[in-house]
């Protein structure tokens, strides 16, 4: 990289060179999917010599920067164009000396900045509540934030998703910071670990392995996991042992069935699943004791999950959706009872059914 070129660019921009500057050649971005540098630092991209390359660079930058982010295209000394990032590929005069200057985004947009904030919370001059937390005390918060993120997903509320994913990330970073203070691992170790795992378990993407479909990916995934466990010297586990016991029952059932199906333990056709559903329904009817009834209802749920899996439906999400639908319709009944100055216990079932049907029609 020619630093004299960078100097001339800032002379053209009529600003002092920033103390921290990312210098990058445009071709290195052409095969990327996200910018390989933190957005809270200014960047200078050189060698933007063609419209095609400019279009590729624009697409990569838009993965992080907003469309309206102001950037500066410097073609030659004293030849400066200010434009929005989204309009970069609308220019048509690119030369080997063309540079793109990208001002930094506001603070707090980089992973490292977030690490610093969390570390500050735990520092001697940080927050009394955060300083007292341990892995055990934060456990319930991690669980709560996970469920709130799922609720946002189920609602299709993108603003809530963004907020809840942030809350979930905070929990992960707090645990990582506590581990760092105890000398166990750092947040970077967490990122590095999942980075390596993704590459290791996707040889069909990052290596020479070939798979023909999703089933092939999942089968290969199980083989790779078994190989990893063996490499760590872990005791051989069953295929289902890795499914967390704390999962909600429907999710756990579906994961058990998915894993078993990967090695061929599955109904050959969906008609046999439906036959089993009818059989289990009859066994519920025939149950004579409370124990038998609970057992048969469990079997019925399990087969329903299997049917959902065959239909590519997430059973847990389907039931949560049904719960929310029930809550909304029942709320409609309550609201109308309140309008009439009545309590639900004073209403006849026929009246509540009529309001329920109104809610359905709406």
């Amino acid at each position: 990289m020619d630093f004299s070129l960078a100097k001339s660019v800032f002379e053209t921009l009529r600003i002092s060179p920033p103390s921290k500057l990312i210098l990058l050649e445009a071709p290195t971005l052409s095969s990327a999917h996200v910018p390989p540098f933190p957005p809270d630092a200014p960047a200078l991209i050189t060698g933007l010599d063609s419209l095609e390359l400019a279009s590729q660079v624009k697409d990569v930058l838009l993965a992080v920067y907003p469309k309206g982010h102001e950037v500066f295209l410097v073609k030659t000394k004293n030849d400066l164009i200010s434009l929005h990032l989204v309009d970069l590929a609308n220019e048509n005069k690119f030369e080997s000396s063309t540079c793109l200057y990208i001002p930094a985004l506001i603070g707090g947009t980089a992973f490292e900045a977030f690490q610093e904030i969390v570390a500050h919370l735990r520092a001697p001059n940080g927050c009394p509540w955060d300083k007292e937390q341990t892995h055990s005390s934060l456990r319930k918060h991690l669980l709560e934030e996970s469920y709130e993120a799922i609720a946002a997903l189920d609602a299709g509320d993108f603003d809530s998703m963004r907020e809840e994913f942030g809350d979930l990330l905070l929990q992960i970073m707090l645990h990582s910071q506590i581990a760092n203070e105890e000398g166990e691992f750092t947040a970077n170790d967490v990122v590095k670990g999942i980075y390596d795992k993704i590459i290791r378990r996707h040889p069909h993407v990052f290596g020479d392995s070939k798979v023909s479909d999703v089933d092939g990916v999942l089968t290969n995934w199980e083989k790779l996991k078994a190989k990893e466990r063996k490499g760590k010297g872990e005791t051989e586990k069953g295929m289902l042992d890795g499914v967390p016991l704390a999962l909600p029952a429907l999710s756990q059932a579906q994961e058990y069935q998915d894993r078993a199906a990967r090695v061929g333990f599955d109904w050959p056709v969906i008609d046999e699943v439906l036959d089993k559903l009818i059989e289990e329904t009859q066994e519920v009817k025939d149950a004579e004791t409370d124990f038998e009834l609970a057992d048969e209802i469990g079997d019925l749920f399990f087969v329903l999950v299997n049917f959902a899996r065959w239909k590519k439906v997430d059973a847990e999400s389907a039931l949560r959706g049904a719960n929310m639908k029930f809550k909304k319709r029942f709320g409609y009944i309550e609201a109308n009872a309140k309008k009439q100055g009545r309590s639900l216990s004073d209403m006849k079932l026929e009246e509540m059914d009529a309001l329920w049907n109104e809610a359905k029609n709406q």
Side-chain angles (χ1 to χ4, degrees):
M1 178 71 70
D2 186 352
F3 285 90
S4 63
L5 174 60
K7 181 179 178 181
S8 68
V9 167
F10 287 109
E11 288 175 354
T12 302
L13 288 167
R14 297 178 182 175
I15 61 175
S16 300
S19 58
K20 181 172 68 171
L21 176 68
I22 306 297
L23 291 172
L24 202 65
E25 295 179 353
T28 62
L29 280 174
S30 61
S31 60
H33 297 91
V34 295
F37 53 84
D40 63 349
L44 181 65
I45 299 175
T46 64
L48 207 62
D49 59 6
S50 70
L51 178 61
E52 180 183 6
L53 184 56
S55 180
Q56 293 170 343
V57 168
K58 177 202 72 173
D59 290 341
V60 173
L61 295 175
L62 284 174
V64 171
Y65 295 88
K67 293 179 180 180
H69 190 57
E70 185 181 27
V71 297
F72 299 91
L73 199 60
V74 184
K75 296 184 178 181
T76 59
K77 193 169 184 180
N78 299 321
D79 186 0
L80 172 69
I81 298 175
S82 169
L83 70 162
H84 291 149
L85 176 58
V86 72
D87 297 323
L88 177 60
N90 293 340
E91 292 295 318
N92 57 13
K93 294 180 181 179
F94 295 95
E95 305 167 0
S96 59
S97 61
T98 300
C99 303
L100 179 68
Y101 177 66
I102 310 166
L105 286 179
I106 58 174
T109 52
F111 180 75
E112 293 79 6
F114 188 53
Q115 276 185 286
E116 171 60 28
I117 285 292
V118 175
H120 194 156
L121 288 175
R122 295 272 304 173
N125 61 338
C127 172
W129 184 90
D130 288 281
K131 288 190 292 183
E132 288 184 358
Q133 299 313 303
T134 64
H135 290 305
S136 296
S137 69
L138 287 171
R139 183 183 181 279
K140 65 178 181 179
H141 298 291
L142 179 60
L143 188 60
E144 288 169 3
E145 297 300 351
S146 298
Y147 277 117
E148 288 179 9
I150 290 172
L153 281 170
D154 290 344
D157 186 337
F158 292 104
D159 286 337
S160 292
M161 281 187 217
R162 173 184 48 75
E163 180 180 353
E164 298 303 338
F165 293 159
D167 290 343
L168 190 54
L169 180 58
L170 172 59
Q171 293 302 311
I172 294 169
M173 291 301 295
L174 278 170
H175 281 284
S176 299
Q177 179 61 29
I178 292 170
N180 185 17
E181 294 164 8
E182 296 173 350
E184 297 297 334
F185 60 83
T186 68
N188 286 345
D189 293 331
V190 173
V191 174
K192 176 62 174 171
I194 190 60
Y195 177 94
D196 289 344
K197 183 186 288 187
I198 287 174
I199 291 177
R200 189 170 61 246
R201 292 191 180 176
H202 292 79
H204 54 289
V205 177
F206 303 106
D208 300 325
S209 180
K210 303 293 182 183
V211 293
S212 57
D213 52 24
V214 173
D215 289 339
V217 171
L218 295 176
T219 299
N220 199 41
W221 182 278
E222 290 299 333
K223 291 179 181 177
L224 290 167
K225 286 171 66 176
K227 184 178 179 181
E228 288 172 14
R229 288 194 293 266
K230 186 176 181 181
K232 294 177 182 177
E234 294 181 2
T235 305
E236 181 114 8
K237 294 182 179 180
M239 286 186 63
L240 308 186
D241 290 336
V243 179
L245 295 177
L247 275 180
L250 292 180
S251 295
Q252 189 182 65
Q254 194 150 358
E255 184 62 24
Y256 282 160
Q257 293 170 14
D258 278 339
R259 295 193 180 197
R262 290 173 200 168
V263 293
F265 190 75
D266 198 5
W267 299 104
V269 292
I270 195 172
D271 286 347
E272 295 188 24
V273 182
L274 291 171
D275 291 341
K276 186 65 175 175
L277 194 58
I278 294 170
E279 177 188 325
E280 294 297 344
T281 302
Q282 186 60 49
E283 290 181 3
V284 168
K285 293 179 180 179
D286 295 341
E288 296 180 354
T289 67
D290 291 345
F291 177 81
E292 287 179 357
L293 181 61
D295 189 53
E296 296 302 341
I297 288 176
D299 290 345
L300 181 59
F301 279 142
F302 198 80
V303 178
L304 278 170
V305 170
N306 209 339
F307 179 73
R309 182 181 64 83
W310 268 82
K311 288 295 187 179
K312 311 295 184 187
V313 172
D314 178 68
E316 183 71 24
S317 297
L319 182 56
R320 287 177 64 85
N323 289 345
M324 293 306 297
K325 184 165 56 179
F326 181 88
K327 181 175 181 286
K328 185 176 180 180
R329 291 175 182 174
F330 193 79
Y332 181 85
I333 298 174
E334 285 184 299
N336 277 273
K338 189 174 181 180
K339 287 179 183 178
Q340 299 173 24
R342 304 170 64 189
S343 67
L344 290 175
S345 58
D346 293 333
M347 298 184 75
K348 295 180 179 178
L349 177 59
E350 292 78 7
E351 294 177 285
M352 289 191 282
D353 275 340
L355 289 170
W356 177 273
N357 290 326
E358 283 183 23
K360 283 179 64 176
N361 292 333
Q362 290 181 6

